[in-house]
Amino acid sequence: MSNLEQLLELSRQSMGIIPILALLLLVVLAVSVERFIFFARCLPSGKQIDQALVRADHRSDAALQDIAQRYRSTVFGATLHAAVESRALASGEAMDRYIDEAIVRTMPELDRSLWLLGAAITLGPLIGLLGTIIGITESFNVLGTAGSSSGAVTNGIGHSLLATGCGLLVAIAGVAANSYFSKRVRLALLELDLIKLVFIKQHCLLEQSIVVRQAAGPHAAGAGKPAVKRAADVAYAGAAS
C-alpha cells in the first residue's frame, strides 16, 4: 500500500479527524510565519524611531515632521503623526488622550490573526479527544463481533492514540507560537507608549522653559537672559541624553 493510500485509509478510519488536525497545524504554521515576518520588520523600526527622537531637537517642528514622514509606512507611523499633531494642544493630558487614540487604532494590526492560535490551542486537544473516543468505540465494536482478532482491536486503539498525539502536537505548537508573539506585541506596545511619553515630556520641558523666561521679565535683561537661555538649553540637553 502506498503512502497516499495509507493516508486515505487513516483518514477514513479516523472519520476525518486526522485531516482536520493537519489543517489546524497548517493554520498555526501559516500564522506563525506571517507574524514572524511582520514583527521582524516592525520592532527594529521602533528602536530606530526611539533613537531618532532622542537625538532630535524637539523645538523644531520640521525635524519632528521629518521623522514622522520617514517612518510613515511602519506600524508606528500613525502614532508618530498623532504625536506631532498633538504638540498644538494646550496640556500634556490632552496630548496623552490624543496619542492614545492612535495607539488604540494600531493595536488590531499588532495582534492580527493571533486569535487563530488561541482557537487551535483549544480545538486541537478537543478534536484529538474526539478521535480517541472514535478509536476506542471502534475497538469495542470489534470486540463485540464474533471471531474478532487482536489485530483489529489494537488497530482501533492505535488510531485513538494517534489522534490524541496529533491534537497535542497542534496545542504545543500553538502555545509556543502564541507565547512568542504575545511578547512581541507587548514590546511593540511599549515602543508606542515610549513615543507618547517622549513627546509629552518634551512638551512639558518646553512649557517650563517658557515660564522661566516669562518669570525673568524685562528687568532681567542683559545678564539675566543668557542665564535663562542656558537653563533652558541644559533642560533640553538633559532630556535628550
Side-chain angles (χ1 to χ4, degrees):
M1 183 181 293
S2 64
N3 293 333
L4 180 59
E5 292 176 346
Q6 291 178 354
L7 180 61
L8 292 176
E9 179 64 18
L10 182 62
S11 301
R12 184 192 64 79
Q13 293 174 349
S14 65
M15 298 183 65
I17 297 297
I18 300 300
I20 292 175
L21 291 174
L23 180 61
L24 273 179
L25 182 59
L26 182 63
V27 169
V28 170
L29 294 177
V31 171
S32 300
V33 170
E34 189 273 333
R35 290 287 87 188
F36 181 83
I37 295 174
F38 173 80
F39 285 112
R41 296 175 178 174
C42 162
L43 294 181
S45 63
K47 296 179 181 178
Q48 295 170 6
I49 292 172
D50 182 29
Q51 295 173 359
L53 290 177
V54 169
R55 294 192 300 264
D57 182 6
H58 284 257
R59 289 168 292 185
S60 172
D61 290 336
L64 298 176
Q65 288 285 359
D66 179 68
I67 295 174
Q69 187 67 20
R70 194 188 318 160
Y71 296 98
R72 179 182 58 183
S73 60
T74 67
V75 71
F76 306 103
T79 301
L80 266 176
H81 277 284
V84 173
E85 293 173 353
S86 69
R87 287 164 53 86
L89 299 176
S91 64
E93 290 79 4
M95 290 179 65
D96 182 56
R97 292 192 295 269
Y98 191 87
I99 302 173
D100 273 341
E101 180 184 355
I103 294 176
V104 170
R105 293 182 184 276
T106 304
M107 289 178 63
E109 188 175 356
L110 295 177
D111 61 3
R112 183 179 58 205
S113 302
L114 292 183
W115 67 272
L116 291 173
L117 297 180
I121 292 171
T122 303
L123 291 176
L126 294 178
I127 295 176
L129 180 60
L130 178 60
T132 301
I133 295 173
I134 292 173
I136 295 298
T137 303
E138 180 182 345
S139 299
F140 285 149
N141 290 336
V142 171
L143 284 174
T145 304
S148 61
S149 62
S150 60
V153 175
T154 56
N155 192 31
I157 296 176
H159 292 159
S160 66
L161 294 177
L162 181 61
T164 303
C166 291
L168 291 176
L169 178 63
V170 171
I172 291 171
V175 167
N178 193 51
S179 299
Y180 177 81
F181 294 119
S182 294
K183 178 65 178 296
R184 303 276 84 74
V185 169
R186 288 196 298 271
L187 289 176
L189 288 176
L190 285 175
E191 292 289 347
L192 292 170
D193 283 336
L194 186 58
I195 292 173
K196 177 183 72 174
L197 294 175
V198 167
F199 274 87
I200 293 176
K201 180 186 73 173
Q202 294 295 340
H203 178 78
C204 293
L205 286 175
L206 180 59
E207 285 186 338
Q208 182 180 6
S209 67
I210 293 174
V211 170
V212 171
R213 290 175 182 176
Q214 291 176 347
H219 62 276
K225 288 184 178 179
V228 173
K229 183 177 184 301
R230 285 196 299 272
D233 290 339
V234 168
Y236 275 101
S241 61

